[in-house]
Amino acid sequence: MGNLRNDGSGTYTCVQLARRPAGLPVAADWSLETTDIPGLGLGQFLVRITMISLDPAMRGWLDDRPSYLPPVAIGEVMRAGAVGEVISSNHPRFKIGDFVQGTFGVQEYAVSDGTGVTRIDPKLGTQSMYLGALGMTGMTAYFGFFDYGRPRAGDTVVVSAAAGAVGSIVGQLAKINGCHTVGLAGGPDKCAFVVNELGFDAAIDYKNANLRESFQQHCPAGIDVYFDNVGGAILNTALSQLAMHARIIICGAISQYNAESVTPGPSNYLALLVRRATMQGFLVFDHAGEYSVARKRLAQWAKAGKIIAPETIVPGKITDFHEVFMRLFAGDNTGKLILDISGH
Ligand SMILES: NC(=O)c1ccc[n+]([C@@H]2O[C@H](COP(=O)([O-])OP(=O)(O)OC[C@H]3O[C@@H](n4cnc5c(N)ncnc54)[C@H](OP(=O)(O)O)[C@@H]3O)[C@@H](O)[C@H]2O)c1
């Protein structure tokens, strides 16, 4: 990986945004740049990146429109969560040999001043778990479900993209909480995984089933909590099947992220009035101050075997970024999708 000499100098490769994608990103939207490893200033440390997180939100960061973060600029290193090892340090709290997690970007090395960086505690979990179940994914599931879903035992909880990184954790948290859980996933294999490995009570293959009939079959008293990762037609149909005082949590809308024209809003929104329901969006970053508590609870559940942390870890090089990123939109991942560049 890179070309690091004994004196700390050398070069490394990063992935920059070359142009804004129209619709689904293509390889030419990125450029590979080889640059010098910078020297460290006071209070800085150098991270050799081992694993890069692939997140649907990264697609949103490519569009030049107002959002919760500024868009990635043309020519800027692609923003991404990552983990890695501190290999040199002028920082009082981060030492050589520490493994850390932060928004280090799609590159082989990163210089950091420690802002937003978490030291990995191997007693809690692995490096990959700090990107998945104990990282942003797990935090999203935990705060989205508990704080906004306000679940009660016996609730019927429906989760879209249930075999994915966030959805797989939400469903398991719902089971821990005594809920009846129904997951939506694409294809029979993912649906079998959702029931047999994740412990959902039922799965709906949204690509092949009649959604309305499936909801009526698996949620006969209506949906109490709908944790939505996909938006679009699935959200619209779920709105038609709400129980009284249902909570709809808008976590994401991956079905719309590559849309080239304006997507219509859900026509069934008046169900919110009829069912006295609430539909609320949330952003995991608003809970940053509470991450350490959530991380400990999730780690305890994982240790106790109450949750599993599914991961699709793809070994490769930094140059494989585009191909691996695109798996998210093809549904070619189960659990947390990670590019592992530690072998290169
Ligand atoms: N609000 C927040 O703070 C926050 C934080 C993190 C993530 N999120 C959101 O949470 C959602 C899940 O993220 P994740 O990291 O866990 O991703 P993920 O679920 O692991 O991966 C994406 C999955 O979405 C499904 N999918 C892809 N295209 C689809 C389409 N057109 N229609 C329906 N489903 C589609 C695929 O599963 P199938 O094969 O089953 O179709 C795919 O495997 C995303 O919307 C993301 O933006 C929000």
Side-chain angles (χ1 to χ4, degrees), residues 1 46-50 83-87 108-110 342 344:
M1 175 203 280
L46 180 66
V47 180
R48 185 179 67 87
I49 292 171
T50 51
V83 291
E85 182 180 8
V86 176
I87 58 164
E108 294 173 320
Y109 289 87
S342 63
H344 292 277

Side-chain angles (χ1 to χ4, degrees), residues 101-120:
Q101 175 253 318
T103 309
F104 296 132
V106 184
Q107 51 187 347
E108 294 173 320
Y109 289 87
V111 172
S112 172
D113 64 4
T115 306
V117 174
T118 304
R119 191 180 291 98
I120 291 174

Side-chain angles (χ1 to χ4, degrees), residues 157-223:
V157 174
V158 173
V159 185
S160 55
V166 173
S168 60
I169 303 295
V170 172
Q172 296 180 89
L173 295 180
K175 274 320 285 182
I176 290 172
N177 220 61
C179 301
H180 175 70
T181 54
V182 179
L184 291 133
D189 290 349
K190 278 198 178 179
C191 284
F193 172 78
V194 161
V195 172
N196 299 335
E197 307 295 325
L198 300 175
F200 281 65
D201 296 296
I204 298 171
D205 176 0
Y206 76 91
K207 289 185 176 166
N208 297 300
N210 177 311
L211 262 189
R212 183 181 289 262
E213 285 173 9
S214 302
F215 281 138
Q216 284 165 349
Q217 181 191 344
H218 297 298
C219 315
I223 300 170

Side-chain angles (χ1 to χ4, degrees), residues 64-89:
D64 190 7
R65 66 166 80 114
S67 188
Y68 56 91
L69 283 175
V72 176
I74 305 293
E76 193 182 343
V77 174
M78 181 57 201
R79 183 186 294 141
V83 291
E85 182 180 8
V86 176
I87 58 164
S88 58
S89 179

Side-chain angles (χ1 to χ4, degrees), residues 54-57 136-137 140 161 163-167 184-186 190 206-207 229-230 234 250-255 257 282-285 327-333 335-336:
L54 287 316
D55 294 277
M136 201 208 16
T137 293
T140 303
V166 173
L184 291 133
K190 278 198 178 179
Y206 76 91
K207 289 185 176 166
N229 290 311
V230 304
I234 298 176
I250 305 300
C251 176
I254 193 170
S255 73
Y257 292 171
F282 78 100
L283 191 63
V284 66
F285 303 136
R327 286 187 176 212
L328 287 172
F329 305 105
D332 194 10
N333 70 298
K336 179 72 212 168

Side-chain angles (χ1 to χ4, degrees), residues 7-62:
D7 65 359
S9 68
T11 58
Y12 70 102
T13 302
C14 60
V15 175
Q16 298 180 351
L17 181 63
R19 63 180 190 194
R20 302 207 177 279
L24 215 55
V26 296
D29 295 330
W30 313 102
S31 66
L32 286 165
E33 300 296 328
T34 299
T35 30
D36 288 337
I37 293 174
L40 294 181
L42 202 62
Q44 292 186 325
F45 55 94
L46 180 66
V47 180
R48 185 179 67 87
I49 292 171
T50 51
M51 292 183 175
I52 296 171
S53 174
L54 287 316
D55 294 277
M58 293 161 79
R59 176 63 188 87
W61 300 338
L62 304 178

